[in-house]
Amino acid sequence: MTGKSKNSGLNNPSNKEIEIEKLRDLNKWTRLLEHSKTFISHSRLGLLAKFSIAESIFESYLFSNPMIFSSAQPGELAKNSKTLYNHETSLDESKKLYDAEFMFKQVLEKAEDSNLPVEACILLIKLLYSQMRYDEAIKQLNNARIKQKIAEHIQNLKYYMQSKQLIQQQQALQVLTTCQSLRQMQLFAELHSIRGLCLEIKSRNEEHRRDDQDIIDSYELSSLFAIQHSLTLHQKYPNTNSPTNLNQEENLDLINPLYENAIQKAPLYYIKRGEQQMGVRKFRELLLKKNIQSITSIRQILFKKFAECLLFYVPSAKYTQISGGSEDDKRKRVYKPSNQDEEILLCLSLSQYMASKEVMLFRQKQFKQIRELTFNNAMNSLDLLLVYLAYHRSYNVLIDKFEMALKYSFEEFSIWYQYGLTLMCDQKYYKAYLVFKECIRMKPDHVTCHLLLAQIALENLLLIDESLEWCEKVHEITDQKNKKALIINGCALCLKAKLQNQYAMEINYYEKALEIFKKANSIDSTDYLSLFHIAHCHAILRQIPEAIEFVQKALKYKPDDKDSLHLFALLLTSTKNYESAHTIILKASALFEDFELYYTKIRIEEMLFGFNKSVNSILNLIVAYKQKLQNASDRALPSVSLSYPGVMSQAKNVALSIQSVDSNHSLETVALLNLQHSYKLNESIGKKVSMLLQIDRLEAKTSSIQQSQNFQQNILLIRILTLIGEFYLRHDKLIDAEMCCQEIAVLNSMSYLHIYLKGRIHEYKQEFSQAKKHYQNALSINPYHIPSLQQLSIVLCYLEDFHLAEKMIRDAISLNNSLPDSWHILARVLDYINDSQSALKCYQTCLQLEATNPIIPFTTLTRIL
């Protein structure tokens, strides 16, 4: 009997209709196609079966070829969309779509049921629109049945919008979205979305721009139907999203482009029309809807569009905060953004997280299009988050986002490239170096990646040979010489010259670098950067007239370039034209708050006006340090790119004999590295300086600045205190110099400058054994500190250890053979040991260098890329 009743149930047409309705509600097109073929010859349900088959074929085609809307032409599909008229569509697909279109038209003519022709007309409109036959789709929108339904829905929408109370709104919404089936509700949502798109096309083609209210009404209706459809679907079929029921080909939770289009455009039109508050309210209402899985993709795109609107269309003056939440939200401590920036960041983060969760990870051929669609969606969200976080310099947060994105970014060059740039901005150079090498593997002919690798290798990792190799590869993959690659190549050769122990090899490398810089200038004769490097090389080679000629050309093309102005001032001091040099350095220090410029200004003023004038400059230096300390927490990191004049800090530190622990820190500290021993400090300002330093110590203890920033500031303060301490010693103020030494000990008792200053104090007291011990300790920390080597050699002469004194001063000369002071000390040592001929040669070398010696060495200038 059970078998008999089962067979009788299968022959019951009403059961077939119920099964068809269920399969259409759940969008299970494959099963619907198979089921409809079983009763296609049925007398009464044959037309319904044919309609279901046509609907299954068309919706399956749309699943494999989803609609992609054009960003350039509002309302239209993207030009690369797959249609019947391009070569990407196979003959089999074309025939099936043609049969589906024919069947929809046949249903319109023959169907007796009142609902089936409406649904067939909607599907026909959808098919015509998906094939870019916009005029035919607009013509079908004027069908009598469709116009009647649209008019009814618009009337109900007005009643819904005018309802003030919550109960009235719920009742109006129920009246508005009442449908015969869930599938019909979905089709109404798609109908109004397509109508809005077609109205956009008509509005764009008309000469006189019409009111956007019809478009807004269409998108409002579509969004209401879409959300109500999603909610009702999961109430009626609560287990449809369980893992056992999930099928990649029949997943009703996949993105519906027409839903997305309608839900995001309704608030956008309000905002573009100037009704910002209304648009923001609409976005928030949609985002606060009940969170169910089927509308996750809608919420994701909504979060992104809402963030875009807050960023680009809603000014801060018109922004309104979210109103107070319910008592339940307050009890659960629900987060509520307190300002516009917090809401933007929250929306972007949620959008990016949702989009990354939806990316298709399967790489089989059948999933190619859906994978590209979901990946592009995730990329759009990540790009917008990149723009926002990069503007606010939140690189550490951005790095975390990129690391999450790498799991679905296999062989995706753009993700890896942006990840590398973000690592550079966050000063994680070695990791950025590895990431850019991976980018080179993906795109071996990408010139910018080669240049970035060359820059990082030279400027941050001190990989000189690797930098030269990357520059050579740039020349290999380009037809012409690359100017930026030539400049990096020349800077690498200059650095290599500084690391040579033999004078002839050093000169050889400088001459090679000079030729390369001239090649770079031949590519662009108006490039100030290549002209600056040419002048710098001529200056180091002591070709002063040529250096002045080229630095003047550099200033002609960029009059406010800090490094060119500084070099010009030093060149003028090498010709003993201190008045003109003072004028140039005053102009530069007025334009830039730079410690290198302040230091040069102090030296020139001491030479011109004596000690009292330079004292004021030292006070200005301390005040500038205090301002830097106060603004340190607010100062943003500079953005990193090839066009930014980055300073080769680490390379310069090695070349100028700086201790390795300082090489990764503040670039401004380079100005106070090679301090000479000719400064004096006026007693009248001693109390002022002491008071300023005590305040600095107090602020350093009570401030909440990050530890790394404190470390950088302490290094700078130690150098300033060393400068002041040497001034005191030169002015016979021993007690004040000891106070400076104590201040340095509080900051860092293991600093080589602290130990060096203690040695200077013992040397002043004529305690030569203690001075020798401290100089040796300073050199054990930093073996390349030239002032310690010079002073140790002098102290050893007092202790009559002339051979060791000769070795120390020769070590100093091997580090930098262009300092006249070193040659003068060597001449004195050789004189002590009665080597008169060698001493005479050293005196002659000293005089030759002094004739063209600048106020501070040319090598202290930074190399800019």
Side-chain angles (χ1 to χ4, degrees), residues 689-697 717 721 724 740 743:
V689 173
S690 178
M691 180 180 66
L692 287 170
L693 296 177
Q694 291 293 336
I695 293 173
D696 286 340
R697 287 181 57 190
L717 182 56
L721 289 170
I724 296 171
C740 288
E743 294 287 343

Side-chain angles (χ1 to χ4, degrees), residues 498-517:
K498 284 185 173 296
L499 300 179
Q500 301 302 313
N501 292 326
Q502 297 181 2
Y503 179 73
M505 290 295 295
E506 180 181 353
I507 296 300
N508 183 37
Y509 275 116
Y510 274 123
E511 289 175 348
K512 288 181 180 179
L514 181 60
E515 292 300 319
I516 289 175
F517 288 135

Side-chain angles (χ1 to χ4, degrees), residues 54 57 92-104:
I57 292 171
D92 184 51
E93 285 180 332
S94 300
K95 184 177 182 304
K96 287 180 179 179
L97 287 177
Y98 180 79
D99 291 342
E101 180 182 348
F102 177 77
M103 183 53 61
F104 292 146

Side-chain angles (χ1 to χ4, degrees), residues 280-288 319-321 343:
V280 169
R281 185 170 66 83
K282 285 290 180 182
F283 268 121
R284 287 173 177 166
E285 285 178 359
L286 291 168
L287 290 170
L288 292 174
Y319 172 78
T320 55
Q321 291 187 7
E343 191 165 8

Side-chain angles (χ1 to χ4, degrees), residues 506-537:
E506 180 181 353
I507 296 300
N508 183 37
Y509 275 116
Y510 274 123
E511 289 175 348
K512 288 181 180 179
L514 181 60
E515 292 300 319
I516 289 175
F517 288 135
K518 287 182 177 180
K519 288 181 182 178
N521 184 250
S522 66
I523 297 174
D524 182 8
S525 60
T526 63
D527 178 36
Y528 79 95
L529 193 56
S530 58
L531 290 168
F532 164 77
H533 284 297
I534 293 171
H536 197 185
C537 286

Side-chain angles (χ1 to χ4, degrees), residues 35-91:
H35 183 70
S36 301
K37 288 179 179 179
T38 61
F39 60 93
I40 193 170
S41 59
H42 195 281
S43 59
R44 187 170 68 86
L45 299 178
L47 190 62
L48 176 61
K50 292 180 181 179
F51 169 76
S52 300
I53 291 172
E55 183 180 26
S56 301
I57 292 171
F58 174 54
E59 293 292 351
S60 298
Y61 171 81
L62 283 185
F63 177 81
S64 302
N65 306 279
M67 296 184 191
I68 302 173
F69 299 104
S70 172
S71 58
Q73 301 292 334
E76 296 186 7
L77 295 175
K79 297 297 184 184
N80 58 351
S81 298
K82 198 173 179 182
T83 68
L84 289 170
Y85 305 104
N86 58 28
H87 299 291
E88 296 180 3
T89 307
S90 65
L91 292 175

Side-chain angles (χ1 to χ4, degrees), residues 129-280:
Y129 181 82
S130 68
Q131 300 304 307
M132 299 186 184
R133 295 154 65 180
Y134 306 121
D135 294 335
E136 296 180 52
I138 293 171
K139 183 179 179 180
Q140 288 296 329
L141 282 169
N142 293 322
N143 183 285
R145 294 187 180 95
I146 299 298
K147 289 182 72 174
Q148 182 182 355
K149 285 292 182 182
I150 291 173
E152 292 176 4
H153 291 162
I154 290 176
Q155 185 177 359
N156 293 332
L157 175 67
K158 290 180 180 178
Y159 178 69
Y160 170 76
M161 298 292 287
Q162 291 170 0
S163 301
K164 301 297 183 183
Q165 297 181 0
L166 181 61
I167 298 176
Q168 290 180 345
Q169 283 187 347
Q170 291 175 349
Q171 292 174 350
L173 181 61
Q174 186 176 1
V175 172
L176 173 62
T177 57
T178 300
C179 297
Q180 296 292 327
S181 65
L182 279 172
R183 176 57 179 165
Q184 189 180 76
M185 191 183 297
Q186 181 182 5
L187 288 174
F188 282 151
E190 293 176 346
L191 167 67
H192 290 296
S193 180
I194 294 173
R195 179 174 179 263
L197 291 164
C198 291
L199 288 174
E200 283 190 72
I201 296 173
K202 287 179 67 176
S203 176
R204 194 181 71 247
N205 294 333
E206 290 175 354
E207 294 182 1
H208 302 287
R209 187 174 180 83
R210 57 189 294 172
D211 187 25
D212 294 333
Q213 190 58 47
D214 286 343
I215 301 175
I216 294 174
D217 289 344
S218 296
Y219 289 139
E220 286 275 14
L221 285 167
S222 180
S223 60
L224 288 173
F225 274 107
I227 293 173
Q228 195 65 21
H229 168 258
S230 297
L231 293 171
T232 310
L233 177 66
H234 283 266
Q235 290 172 3
K236 188 174 180 180
Y237 305 102
N239 297 323
T240 52
N241 282 329
S242 63
T244 56
N245 294 332
L246 203 62
N247 187 324
Q248 287 295 340
E249 295 184 356
E250 299 175 349
N251 183 8
L252 68 159
D253 287 327
L254 289 171
I255 297 170
N256 188 326
L258 291 172
Y259 278 17
E260 289 182 2
N261 172 72
I263 289 176
Q264 65 182 290
K265 280 194 174 180
L268 280 174
Y269 265 94
Y270 281 115
I271 291 174
K272 289 180 179 178
R273 203 165 63 169
E275 301 177 21
Q276 281 89 358
Q277 293 185 357
M278 183 67 175
V280 169

